[in-house]
């Protein structure tokens, strides 16, 4: 079975790492070469800084991409269009059995459309999520990708429900609740991140005393008023709380451009081992990231989400994730709330580390059906 995996942005490297590792385990059990899975990784180039790309391939031992399209830093149309054009050329060389795409970035959509238009089976990992905010580029990407996919690998019950509400039961595609590959990655890599990362020691951070913050979504960085309000709230919080903020290049550029005064500790983006160790030791996570919201849950930390809505609604329902948008009072109030009951985290929402295996099983079943 030949799979062409399309990745391009930071969260996709982490998700693909979990599945690639599972493919290697699957292959190790097959003595016959023809029954193995041959994965070809294509990197669109969307993320390109060493600490946004290479570091993940090295740390997580992801197989080296066979292709790197080096397409980055463009408007949505140009970026997606150029990626599609190149992916199509590569598809015509390899004719894989499946194209696998992850999440909701422009790289996801480009891979999805190229596969569909060339009638190659398309697998969407992280299907069925919805924010119901069509102004988000991610929402557009994920809705379009879902609609053209053959196998929709859903991380949660809510994702399955969303698709059924949109009529997917009646479409010629397969809906599978697989669980979330990010939990596979968190479980596996957190067993040895402590030996690989020294960030907590180097930064002299005390357990349960700092706020881990990330911010990069267009809705926050490109809206000056929202960005100013969030930075204002963080500045106030930093008077009584240590804040550690690995800054996405998008946010760094915007802060520099607007000359915003930042009174808290910002650092360059960190690798996966470092972020896991920061997550383990933080008091609270503050973020607009999709991935960090779940990782906060995996490491039993309360999350203050700097957005007006989330795709991970089960975390809000559970009471471990508070949506605060960009309102400074709401942000400060949510951070100062009493700690969440630890027992709340003892619930299996995301598959407990079996998602990658379920995805491989879904592909094998689809092929033999
Ligand atoms: C993209 C995804 C977003 C995802 C995020 C993960 C889209 C539309 N958005 O947003 O859904 O949450 O990745 O991090 O696909 N840049 C660098 N170096 C890098 C990467 C980016 O300088 O390694 C700069 C680019 O030049 C650009 C800006 O950051 O100016 C934004 O990059 P882009 O890839 O367009 O979108 P992200 O904000 O990273
Ligand atoms: N991450 C990381 N280093 C950082 C910030 C984030 O390794 O400095 C990881 C984070 O733990 C998560 C993934 O990157 O696994 C999330 O990526 P991001 O927030 O960029 O994208 P999103 O999930 O919002 O699409």
């Amino acid at each position: 079975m030949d799979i062409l995996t399309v990745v391009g942005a930071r969260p996709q490297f982490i998700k693909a790492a979990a599945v690639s590792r599972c493919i290697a385990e699957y292959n190790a059990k097959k003595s016959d070469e023809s029954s193995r899975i041959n994965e070809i990784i294509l990197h669109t180039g969307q993320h390109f800084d060493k600490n946004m790309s290479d570091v993940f391939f090295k740390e997580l031992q992801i197989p080296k991409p066979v292709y790197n399209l080096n397409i980055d830093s463009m408007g949505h149309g140009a970026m997606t269009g150029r990626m599609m054009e190149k992916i199509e050329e590569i598809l015509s060389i390899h004719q894989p059995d499946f194209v696998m795409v992850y999440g909701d970035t422009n790289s996801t959509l480009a891979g999805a459309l190229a596969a569909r238009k060339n009638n190659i089976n398309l697998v969407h990992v992280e299907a069925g999520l919805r924010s119901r905010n069509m102004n988000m580029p991610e929402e557009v990407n994920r809705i379009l990708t879902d609609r053209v996919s053959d196998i929709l690998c859903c991380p949660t019950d809510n994702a399955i429900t969303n698709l059924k509400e949109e009529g997917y039961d009646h479409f010629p595609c397969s809906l599978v609740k697989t669980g979330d590959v990010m939990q596979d990655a968190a479980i596996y890599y957190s067993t040895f991140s402590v030996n690989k990362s020294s960030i907590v020691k180097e930064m002299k951070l005390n357990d349960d005393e700092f706020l881990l913050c990330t911010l990069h979504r267009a809705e926050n960085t490109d809206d000056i008023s929202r960005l100013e309000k969030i930075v204002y709230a963080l500045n106030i919080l930093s008077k009584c709380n240590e804040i550690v903020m690995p800054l996405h290049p998008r946010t760094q550029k915007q802060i520099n451009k607007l000359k915003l005064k930042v009174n808290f500790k910002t650092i360059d983006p960190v690798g996966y081992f470092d972020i896991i160790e920061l997550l383990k030791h933080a008091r609270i996570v503050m973020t607009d990231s999709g991935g960090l919201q779940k990782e906060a849950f995996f490491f039993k930390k309360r999350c203050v989400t700097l957005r007006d809505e989330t795709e991970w609604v089960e975390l809000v329902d559970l009471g471990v994730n508070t949506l605060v948008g960009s309102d400074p009072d709401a942000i400060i109030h949510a951070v100062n709330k009493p700690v969440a009951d630890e027992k709340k985290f003892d619930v299996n929402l995301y598959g407990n580390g079996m998602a990658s295996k379920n995805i491989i099983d879904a592909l094998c079943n689809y092929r033999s059906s």
Side-chain angles (χ1 to χ4, degrees):
M1 184 196 311
D2 291 336
I3 302 177
L4 183 92
T5 296
V6 177
V7 291
R10 171 167 70 185
Q12 292 162 341
F13 309 139
I14 294 158
K15 293 166 196 174
V19 177
S20 290
R21 212 175 61 77
C22 195
I23 290 175
E25 279 175 12
Y26 175 94
N27 285 343
K29 290 186 200 133
K30 304 279 172 191
S31 50
D32 171 15
E33 181 116 6
S34 64
S35 58
R36 292 189 189 150
I37 297 174
N38 173 35
E39 186 188 30
I40 297 166
I41 298 186
L42 182 157
H43 187 330
T44 61
Q46 181 170 349
H47 285 179
F48 52 92
D49 289 341
K50 277 203 162 55
N51 55 6
M52 293 292 288
S53 176
D54 285 6
V55 65
F56 299 102
F57 283 86
K58 282 198 190 108
E59 285 186 347
L60 313 186
Q61 298 185 334
I62 307 168
K64 194 174 155 41
V66 176
Y67 297 97
N68 190 325
L69 307 183
N70 293 312
I71 298 171
D72 63 78
S73 311
M74 293 174 191
H76 292 282
M79 190 192 271
T80 312
R82 284 188 201 185
M83 286 174 184
M84 267 182 79
E85 184 184 2
K86 289 287 171 200
I87 294 170
E88 188 168 67
E89 281 171 22
I90 291 161
L91 289 179
S92 71
I93 300 169
H94 289 283
Q95 294 289 328
D97 300 297
F98 294 99
V99 168
M100 180 126 69
V101 296
Y102 291 87
D104 51 24
T105 71
N106 288 346
S107 299
T108 314
L109 181 62
L113 292 178
R116 177 75 288 134
K117 283 171 179 281
N118 287 278
N119 286 329
I120 294 172
N121 294 318
L122 176 64
V123 188
H124 185 201
V125 177
E126 222 178 61
L129 299 176
R130 297 290 182 265
S131 67
R132 302 178 209 291
N133 176 356
M134 286 298 274
N135 291 325
M136 289 176 68
E138 293 84 3
E139 183 76 351
V140 176
N141 290 341
R142 60 172 86 96
I143 288 176
L144 296 179
T145 300
D146 280 346
R147 190 60 190 85
V148 295
S149 291
D150 296 288
I151 307 180
L152 292 96
C153 300
C154 300
T156 58
D157 288 329
N158 283 315
I160 293 268
T161 305
N162 289 339
L163 292 174
K164 288 189 176 168
E165 280 173 5
E166 291 175 24
Y168 276 73
D169 267 355
H170 307 288
F171 299 162
C173 59
S174 167
L175 308 187
V176 193
K177 187 189 159 195
T178 54
D180 187 348
V181 293
M182 288 201 97
Q183 187 163 31
D184 299 16
I187 290 172
Y188 180 72
Y189 294 105
S190 65
T191 55
F192 44 88
S193 55
V194 63
N195 298 323
K196 303 277 186 182
S197 161
S198 51
I199 194 162
V200 172
K201 206 169 157 196
E202 273 168 27
M203 291 185 73
K204 299 190 174 64
L205 299 168
N206 290 327
D207 204 19
D208 255 354
E209 285 187 8
F210 64 95
L211 314 179
L212 174 61
C213 182
T214 78
L215 188 78
H216 73 279
R217 289 297 176 107
E219 73 217 62
N220 284 328
T221 56
D222 293 5
D223 181 328
I224 297 174
S225 148
R226 282 185 76 102
L227 184 60
E228 282 175 344
K229 283 194 285 179
I230 292 170
V231 170
Y232 171 79
L234 291 172
N235 279 340
I236 293 188
L237 283 167
S238 72
K239 290 180 185 165
C240 308
N241 301 272
E242 184 161 17
I243 296 178
V244 176
M245 186 169 192
L247 262 192
H248 190 287
R250 177 184 205 113
T251 320
Q252 182 71 70
K253 280 181 193 172
Q254 196 65 340
I255 285 176
N256 294 349
K257 191 171 141 200
L258 300 171
K259 298 193 173 65
L260 293 183
K261 192 168 175 303
V262 167
N263 296 338
F264 46 91
K265 203 175 283 173
T266 65
I267 54 176
D268 286 339
V270 296
Y272 193 57
F273 293 136
D274 281 346
I275 203 87
I276 287 182
E277 288 307 304
L278 290 171
L279 278 156
K280 283 184 189 169
H281 293 277
R283 179 158 73 85
I284 290 176
V285 175
M286 303 175 72
T287 193
D288 59 3
S289 158
L292 257 297
Q293 287 178 64
K294 281 170 299 157
E295 287 164 342
F297 171 75
F298 302 152
F299 294 100
K300 303 191 176 195
K301 304 293 159 143
R302 205 153 61 75
C303 186
V304 173
T305 298
L306 303 162
R307 288 182 49 195
D308 297 329
E309 68 284 304
T310 181
E311 300 76 29
W312 306 105
V313 286
E314 54 284 334
L315 296 175
V316 177
D317 294 344
L318 196 63
V320 297
N321 185 333
T322 313
L323 289 174
V324 291
S326 60
D327 174 44
D329 289 340
I331 295 173
I332 293 163
H333 179 74
V335 169
N336 291 331
K337 261 188 7 188
V339 287
D341 180 355
E342 277 249 339
K343 285 198 198 99
K344 281 195 176 176
F345 296 95
D346 293 335
V347 48
N348 177 5
L349 296 175
Y350 298 105
N352 279 354
M354 296 306 291
S356 305
K357 184 179 177 305
N358 292 336
I359 290 168
I360 308 286
D361 287 350
L363 264 59
C364 294
N365 293 339
Y366 189 84
R367 229 178 150 219
S368 59
S369 66

mmCIF file of all heavy atoms in Angstrom, residues 1 20-33 35-39:
data_model
loop_
_atom_site.group_PDB
_atom_site.id
_atom_site.type_symbol
_atom_site.label_atom_id
_atom_site.label_comp_id
_atom_site.label_asym_id
_atom_site.label_seq_id
_atom_site.Cartn_x
_atom_site.Cartn_y
_atom_site.Cartn_z
ATOM 1 N N MET A 1 0.848 -1.184 0.000
ATOM 2 C CA MET A 1 0.000 0.000 0.000
ATOM 3 C C MET A 1 0.899 1.256 0.000
ATOM 4 O O MET A 1 1.810 1.354 0.816
ATOM 5 C CB MET A 1 -0.867 -0.011 1.271
ATOM 6 C CG MET A 1 -1.872 1.107 1.348
ATOM 7 S SD MET A 1 -2.551 1.349 3.013
ATOM 8 C CE MET A 1 -3.046 -0.245 3.567
ATOM 9 N N SER A 20 3.459 7.940 11.380
ATOM 10 C CA SER A 20 4.630 7.322 10.733
ATOM 11 C C SER A 20 5.254 6.261 11.634
ATOM 12 O O SER A 20 5.711 5.218 11.160
ATOM 13 C CB SER A 20 5.700 8.373 10.422
ATOM 14 O OG SER A 20 5.244 9.202 9.406
ATOM 15 N N ARG A 21 5.273 6.535 12.907
ATOM 16 C CA ARG A 21 5.833 5.566 13.859
ATOM 17 C C ARG A 21 4.993 4.288 13.863
ATOM 18 O O ARG A 21 5.501 3.180 13.911
ATOM 19 C CB ARG A 21 5.839 6.203 15.266
ATOM 20 C CG ARG A 21 6.982 5.760 16.144
ATOM 21 C CD ARG A 21 6.965 6.532 17.451
ATOM 22 N NE ARG A 21 5.749 6.305 18.200
ATOM 23 C CZ ARG A 21 5.506 5.215 18.900
ATOM 24 N NH1 ARG A 21 6.397 4.257 18.971
ATOM 25 N NH2 ARG A 21 4.365 5.071 19.534
ATOM 26 N N CYS A 22 3.685 4.478 13.768
ATOM 27 C CA CYS A 22 2.761 3.333 13.759
ATOM 28 C C CYS A 22 2.929 2.533 12.457
ATOM 29 O O CYS A 22 2.864 1.300 12.472
ATOM 30 C CB CYS A 22 1.347 3.867 13.911
ATOM 31 S SG CYS A 22 0.163 2.641 14.348
ATOM 32 N N ILE A 23 3.179 3.242 11.360
ATOM 33 C CA ILE A 23 3.413 2.558 10.076
ATOM 34 C C ILE A 23 4.682 1.699 10.185
ATOM 35 O O ILE A 23 4.713 0.549 9.737
ATOM 36 C CB ILE A 23 3.532 3.592 8.920
ATOM 37 C CG1 ILE A 23 2.161 4.220 8.645
ATOM 38 C CG2 ILE A 23 4.104 2.939 7.660
ATOM 39 C CD1 ILE A 23 2.160 5.337 7.607
ATOM 40 N N ALA A 24 5.716 2.262 10.812
ATOM 41 C CA ALA A 24 6.971 1.502 10.973
ATOM 42 C C ALA A 24 6.720 0.248 11.809
ATOM 43 O O ALA A 24 7.228 -0.837 11.489
ATOM 44 C CB ALA A 24 8.034 2.391 11.623
ATOM 45 N N GLU A 25 5.911 0.362 12.848
ATOM 46 C CA GLU A 25 5.594 -0.811 13.688
ATOM 47 C C GLU A 25 4.811 -1.852 12.889
ATOM 48 O O GLU A 25 5.056 -3.045 12.992
ATOM 49 C CB GLU A 25 4.745 -0.372 14.893
ATOM 50 C CG GLU A 25 5.587 0.226 16.007
ATOM 51 C CD GLU A 25 4.726 0.766 17.161
ATOM 52 O OE1 GLU A 25 3.503 0.481 17.201
ATOM 53 O OE2 GLU A 25 5.288 1.479 17.986
ATOM 54 N N TYR A 26 3.883 -1.354 12.092
ATOM 55 C CA TYR A 26 3.061 -2.250 11.243
ATOM 56 C C TYR A 26 3.984 -3.013 10.280
ATOM 57 O O TYR A 26 3.887 -4.233 10.148
ATOM 58 C CB TYR A 26 2.050 -1.386 10.482
ATOM 59 C CG TYR A 26 1.200 -2.106 9.465
ATOM 60 C CD1 TYR A 26 -0.056 -2.596 9.803
ATOM 61 C CD2 TYR A 26 1.642 -2.283 8.144
ATOM 62 C CE1 TYR A 26 -0.852 -3.249 8.865
ATOM 63 C CE2 TYR A 26 0.860 -2.938 7.206
ATOM 64 C CZ TYR A 26 -0.390 -3.407 7.572
ATOM 65 O OH TYR A 26 -1.163 -4.045 6.640
ATOM 66 N N ASN A 27 4.891 -2.279 9.641
ATOM 67 C CA ASN A 27 5.787 -2.906 8.660
ATOM 68 C C ASN A 27 6.708 -3.934 9.309
ATOM 69 O O ASN A 27 7.028 -4.957 8.704
ATOM 70 C CB ASN A 27 6.618 -1.835 7.941
ATOM 71 C CG ASN A 27 5.786 -1.084 6.916
ATOM 72 O OD1 ASN A 27 4.718 -1.557 6.518
ATOM 73 N ND2 ASN A 27 6.265 0.076 6.489
ATOM 74 N N ALA A 28 7.136 -3.628 10.548
ATOM 75 C CA ALA A 28 8.069 -4.539 11.232
ATOM 76 C C ALA A 28 7.430 -5.917 11.453
ATOM 77 O O ALA A 28 8.136 -6.924 11.562
ATOM 78 C CB ALA A 28 8.488 -3.925 12.565
ATOM 79 N N LYS A 29 6.091 -5.940 11.488
ATOM 80 C CA LYS A 29 5.406 -7.228 11.723
ATOM 81 C C LYS A 29 5.150 -7.990 10.426
ATOM 82 O O LYS A 29 4.638 -9.098 10.443
ATOM 83 C CB LYS A 29 4.058 -6.971 12.425
ATOM 84 C CG LYS A 29 4.224 -6.512 13.856
ATOM 85 C CD LYS A 29 2.864 -6.422 14.531
ATOM 86 C CE LYS A 29 2.962 -5.519 15.749
ATOM 87 N NZ LYS A 29 1.893 -4.537 15.819
ATOM 88 N N LYS A 30 5.459 -7.363 9.277
ATOM 89 C CA LYS A 30 5.165 -8.012 7.983
ATOM 90 C C LYS A 30 6.464 -8.541 7.372
ATOM 91 O O LYS A 30 7.367 -7.755 7.057
ATOM 92 C CB LYS A 30 4.537 -7.003 7.002
ATOM 93 C CG LYS A 30 3.290 -6.330 7.532
ATOM 94 C CD LYS A 30 2.080 -7.217 7.355
ATOM 95 C CE LYS A 30 0.893 -6.610 8.073
ATOM 96 N NZ LYS A 30 -0.243 -7.482 8.192
ATOM 97 N N SER A 31 6.527 -9.835 7.192
ATOM 98 C CA SER A 31 7.756 -10.394 6.608
ATOM 99 C C SER A 31 7.739 -10.206 5.085
ATOM 100 O O SER A 31 8.775 -10.066 4.450
ATOM 101 C CB SER A 31 7.876 -11.874 6.962
ATOM 102 O OG SER A 31 6.661 -12.503 6.659
ATOM 103 N N ASP A 32 6.533 -10.142 4.543
ATOM 104 C CA ASP A 32 6.388 -10.044 3.094
ATOM 105 C C ASP A 32 6.377 -8.565 2.658
ATOM 106 O O ASP A 32 5.517 -7.795 3.078
ATOM 107 C CB ASP A 32 5.055 -10.734 2.753
ATOM 108 C CG ASP A 32 4.657 -10.532 1.305
ATOM 109 O OD1 ASP A 32 5.535 -10.123 0.530
ATOM 110 O OD2 ASP A 32 3.473 -10.774 0.990
ATOM 111 N N GLU A 33 7.330 -8.202 1.836
ATOM 112 C CA GLU A 33 7.493 -6.799 1.411
ATOM 113 C C GLU A 33 6.219 -6.223 0.799
ATOM 114 O O GLU A 33 5.847 -5.074 1.036
ATOM 115 C CB GLU A 33 8.643 -6.722 0.386
ATOM 116 C CG GLU A 33 8.933 -5.350 -0.115
ATOM 117 C CD GLU A 33 10.346 -4.877 0.275
ATOM 118 O OE1 GLU A 33 11.112 -5.679 0.832
ATOM 119 O OE2 GLU A 33 10.627 -3.725 0.006
ATOM 120 N N SER A 35 3.189 -6.675 1.485
ATOM 121 C CA SER A 35 2.095 -6.327 2.407
ATOM 122 C C SER A 35 2.455 -5.141 3.305
ATOM 123 O O SER A 35 1.715 -4.793 4.213
ATOM 124 C CB SER A 35 1.693 -7.550 3.244
ATOM 125 O OG SER A 35 2.814 -8.004 3.945
ATOM 126 N N ARG A 36 3.615 -4.558 3.065
ATOM 127 C CA ARG A 36 4.015 -3.401 3.886
ATOM 128 C C ARG A 36 3.419 -2.099 3.351
ATOM 129 O O ARG A 36 2.981 -2.036 2.214
ATOM 130 C CB ARG A 36 5.544 -3.268 3.898
ATOM 131 C CG ARG A 36 6.183 -4.411 4.638
ATOM 132 C CD ARG A 36 7.660 -4.182 4.840
ATOM 133 N NE ARG A 36 8.232 -5.422 5.365
ATOM 134 C CZ ARG A 36 9.468 -5.836 5.149
ATOM 135 N NH1 ARG A 36 10.292 -5.092 4.443
ATOM 136 N NH2 ARG A 36 9.885 -6.970 5.660
ATOM 137 N N ILE A 37 3.468 -1.088 4.213
ATOM 138 C CA ILE A 37 2.995 0.246 3.801
ATOM 139 C C ILE A 37 4.215 1.085 3.417
ATOM 140 O O ILE A 37 5.169 1.187 4.187
ATOM 141 C CB ILE A 37 2.230 0.937 4.955
ATOM 142 C CG1 ILE A 37 0.980 0.129 5.311
ATOM 143 C CG2 ILE A 37 1.872 2.372 4.573
ATOM 144 C CD1 ILE A 37 0.240 0.657 6.539
ATOM 145 N N ASN A 38 4.135 1.649 2.231
ATOM 146 C CA ASN A 38 5.224 2.512 1.775
ATOM 147 C C ASN A 38 4.750 3.957 1.896
ATOM 148 O O ASN A 38 3.857 4.372 1.167
ATOM 149 C CB ASN A 38 5.559 2.152 0.316
ATOM 150 C CG ASN A 38 6.545 3.112 -0.279
ATOM 151 O OD1 ASN A 38 7.446 3.599 0.417
ATOM 152 N ND2 ASN A 38 6.381 3.417 -1.556
ATOM 153 N N GLU A 39 5.334 4.690 2.845
ATOM 154 C CA GLU A 39 4.917 6.085 3.045
ATOM 155 C C GLU A 39 5.923 7.043 2.407
ATOM 156 O O GLU A 39 7.123 6.954 2.673
ATOM 157 C CB GLU A 39 4.803 6.417 4.546
ATOM 158 C CG GLU A 39 4.224 7.811 4.768
ATOM 159 C CD GLU A 39 4.271 8.280 6.219
ATOM 160 O OE1 GLU A 39 5.182 7.875 6.971
ATOM 161 O OE2 GLU A 39 3.400 9.096 6.587
#
